[in-house]
Amino acid sequence: MPYVKEVFDYLIRTSPAQTEFYQAAKEVLESIRPALDKYPKYRQHKIIERIVEPERQILFRVNWVDDNGVIQVNKGFRIEFNSALGPYKGGLRFHPSVNAGVIKFLGFEQIFKNALTGLQIGGGKGGSDFNPKGKSDNEIMRFCQAFMSELYRHIGPNTDVPAGDIGVGGREIGYMFGMYKKLANRYEGVLTGKSLKWGGSLGRTEATGYGAVYFAKYMLEDRGETLEGKRCVVSGSGNVAIYTIEKLYQLGAIPVTCSDSSGMIYDESGIDLELLKELKEQKRVRLSEYTTYKPMAKYTPVEEYPEGVNAVYSIPCFAAFPSATQNELNEKDAEILLANGCICVSEGANMPSTPEAVDLFVDAKICYGPGKAANAGGVATSQLEMQQNASMTNWTFEEVDAKLAQIMKNIYVSASTTAAEFGEPTNLVLGANIAGFRKVADAMIEQGLV
Ligand code: NDP
């Protein structure tokens, strides 16, 4: 369709070298074509041209001093993409691979993900190319304070409410909140993922992983299947991976893998969850340490992965939960998964499957839950944290978990009924993109040209 191609060409021309952003935008633009044909109003109001352009992009310098007294300089980003449905909401990522294209892809995805939750949240994302690996606790604190010393003037509980993402967990949120409080002289719900001792919500830490498993459960239920007794593979060993593994156990499944950027663990009898939490949440060591305590488990370093594949996906499984990072599952991985009988892929990470892998999953008509639907439980529970902060109440873990399960069910129903409405009942990429897009686009039209 020339219209979609024109917008895509415009993006490449005006936002050079933002590969991940092009990838995310292409997927959305292509899959919403049927909605653009059905509703001419979206073209009349130039919704596509407007939605691909962030409302505001904040790029800033972050100076800090390391433990040797040496000055370090990093880049800081906050992209406030779309506020049609509510205050900008989306995480902060600290990872050396962060650049404007990565943050824009994450912010763009976040618009539609947040719309799908049915909650009042707009889309944003931020972060830094700071590498937290190997840094002392004091260095982390100084960096977080330096980062917030600029960011604080752009955010607020009714404006923009960041949360965590790769490299940003409870510790970092704590340091950033402390600095915000000092500079703004206000104690308010400006960040989510806070400690339970001072404004956090029970269930937020678990929400993304739990949500991705709930999403798989609902996809499978529609096909008369369950996760019970089924072997599953999980990638990553951070927040999302750990709580995906926990919920899989609660539903009777057997998660047999996890990974980090150095290698993967295959534990045939099932990943030892308590050991994993101790290694990654308390000791903060590399995953290879796992075999020191569980010598029967197999550790494969990335250098020994077969050429061009992610070894996690070569382990035969019923369901796969990519929970590490973008483009970690390629076409070859998808072929191997399908050949080994995998019938469900639920994405905890953002855009973990390459476009070629996604096409294979959609064509095979397996239960494929794209990240913007399957991992929306995290941001949804962040919004529940905002609700509790605003009303000065605290809900129990069970209340939050029940709300999370219901939200994931609603997202599944919304994506699958929209997919059916457009004649492709099993295509949740199309369903999720159109369902999210319609909500944002309609709000933009109703709010006028702003
Ligand atoms: P964490 O920082 O807690 O964990 C990230 C995990 O992924 C680590 O095990 C890390 O290994 C691994 N990883 C990161 N980069 C790579 C890479 N290039 N190759 C292989 N492994 C890698 O992050 P989260 O668990 O919070 O986030 C994981 C994914 O989930 C991301 O895509 C994030 O955007 C998405 N997500 C997170 C949400 C949340 O609530 N936290 C919400 C929605 C989505 P290593 O330690 O070696 O780097």
Side-chain angles (χ1 to χ4, degrees):
M1 178 195 266
Y3 176 59
V4 165
K5 188 175 177 315
E6 264 170 39
V7 175
F8 191 66
D9 289 347
Y10 161 82
L11 280 186
I12 294 178
R13 208 172 53 248
T14 58
S15 303
Q18 298 190 342
T19 326
E20 291 86 355
F21 176 49
Y22 308 150
Q23 186 182 331
K26 191 162 189 232
E27 183 208 281
V28 172
L29 295 184
E30 284 183 347
S31 62
I32 62 171
R33 283 175 186 199
L36 299 177
D37 289 342
K38 188 169 172 182
Y39 306 105
K41 62 180 176 179
Y42 296 141
R43 283 194 198 192
Q44 283 157 14
H45 288 270
K46 298 225 173 193
I47 293 297
I48 296 296
E49 289 87 336
R50 290 160 62 194
I51 214 166
V52 296
E53 206 56 68
E55 290 175 9
R56 195 176 296 108
Q57 303 190 57
I58 302 148
L59 311 180
F60 53 100
R61 186 182 69 196
V62 188
N63 302 319
W64 58 284
V65 180
D66 70 18
D67 285 349
N68 298 319
V70 177
I71 293 172
Q72 302 287 341
V73 184
N74 285 100
K75 292 182 194 302
F77 302 86
R78 185 71 186 167
I79 303 222
E80 298 182 334
F81 227 118
N82 191 295
S83 61
L85 294 180
Y88 308 104
K89 184 92 197 82
L92 297 170
R93 175 176 291 192
F94 292 169
H95 193 273
S97 64
V98 162
N99 57 40
V102 167
I103 298 297
K104 262 173 92 175
F105 118 65
L106 290 163
F108 187 69
E109 289 282 289
Q110 199 82 42
I111 304 171
F112 307 100
K113 179 191 307 195
N114 293 4
L116 276 173
T117 66
L119 303 168
Q120 283 196 292
I121 33 182
K125 199 81 188 185
S128 173
D129 59 355
F130 169 72
N131 184 1
K133 247 175 252 168
K135 302 290 188 299
S136 71
D137 198 54
N138 272 327
E139 288 176 322
I140 298 283
M141 181 179 75
R142 284 197 296 275
F143 176 79
C144 289
Q145 291 178 339
F147 184 82
M148 188 51 84
S149 71
E150 172 60 35
L151 187 67
Y152 87 99
R153 67 186 93 244
H154 307 288
I155 60 177
N158 297 311
T159 313
D160 183 354
V161 187
D165 191 78
I166 290 179
V168 178
R171 174 180 58 166
E172 292 75 19
I173 292 288
Y175 292 144
M176 285 191 275
F177 183 83
M179 195 63 179
Y180 176 86
K181 178 168 63 78
K182 184 178 172 71
L183 294 171
N185 197 23
R186 282 193 298 275
Y187 200 112
E188 56 195 5
V190 70
L191 292 165
T192 56
K194 299 186 289 297
S195 161
L196 295 176
K197 295 174 197 137
W198 45 269
S201 171
L202 286 161
R204 172 60 187 95
T205 305
E206 295 82 355
T208 308
Y210 277 23
V213 179
Y214 284 136
F215 199 82
K217 174 178 137 96
Y218 299 131
M219 288 194 291
L220 288 164
E221 265 175 15
D222 251 4
R223 313 249 181 132
E225 288 278 4
T226 73
L227 283 163
E228 201 169 344
K230 307 288 179 16
R231 291 165 69 77
C232 299
V233 298
V234 178
S235 67
S237 52
N239 170 267
V240 178
I242 289 172
Y243 293 96
T244 293
I245 290 172
E246 183 163 290
K247 183 53 78 179
L248 282 170
Y249 275 127
Q250 288 173 11
L251 297 189
I254 310 157
V256 292
T257 65
C258 56
S259 65
D260 64 12
S261 55
S262 309
M264 72 162 269
I265 289 286
Y266 172 42
D267 194 338
E268 207 179 351
S269 56
I271 293 293
D272 183 332
L273 180 61
E274 289 319 307
L275 174 60
L276 182 65
K277 284 187 180 179
E278 189 187 324
L279 295 176
K280 298 310 273 190
E281 293 184 333
Q282 279 138 44
K283 295 186 172 157
R284 296 177 187 270
V285 293
R286 303 305 293 160
L287 189 60
S288 51
E289 293 284 309
Y290 186 97
T291 51
T292 312
Y293 303 89
K294 293 270 299 210
M296 297 301 280
K298 184 168 187 292
Y299 177 72
T300 310
V302 283
E303 307 80 63
E304 290 175 22
Y305 287 6
E307 176 87 23
V309 306
N310 181 340
V312 168
Y313 303 112
S314 300
I315 304 294
C317 65
F318 173 82
F321 294 84
S323 311
T325 193
Q326 64 268 16
N327 294 326
E328 56 159 300
L329 192 168
N330 64 24
E331 185 176 16
K332 211 163 170 183
D333 297 317
E335 279 168 2
I336 296 170
L337 281 168
L338 293 170
N340 284 337
C342 172
I343 69 148
C344 175
V345 176
S346 188
E347 296 182 340
N350 283 308
M351 207 169 74
S353 307
T354 62
E356 298 77 23
V358 173
D359 287 347
L360 284 177
F361 294 145
V362 171
D363 289 348
K365 295 189 166 40
I366 64 164
C367 297
Y368 170 62
K372 67 169 69 68
N375 72 35
V379 72
T381 309
S382 273
Q383 207 274 359
L384 301 182
E385 183 175 327
M386 289 161 71
Q387 285 186 42
Q388 291 170 80
N389 290 165
S391 59
M392 296 189 183
T393 49
N394 293 303
W395 301 334
T396 64
F397 186 89
E398 290 69 29
E399 279 176 282
V400 176
D401 193 33
K403 285 178 198 285
L404 169 66
Q406 187 57 51
I407 290 168
M408 297 315 296
K409 175 105 197 179
N410 295 347
I411 294 173
Y412 172 65
V413 170
S414 167
S416 55
T417 51
T418 307
E421 181 190 334
F422 284 87
E424 294 191 46
T426 59
N427 186 346
L428 297 185
V429 176
L430 176 135
N433 282 330
I434 294 183
F437 172 78
R438 273 200 298 214
K439 279 190 185 150
V440 183
D442 289 344
M444 287 171 74
I445 292 171
E446 285 165 17
Q447 289 170 17
L449 192 59
V450 289

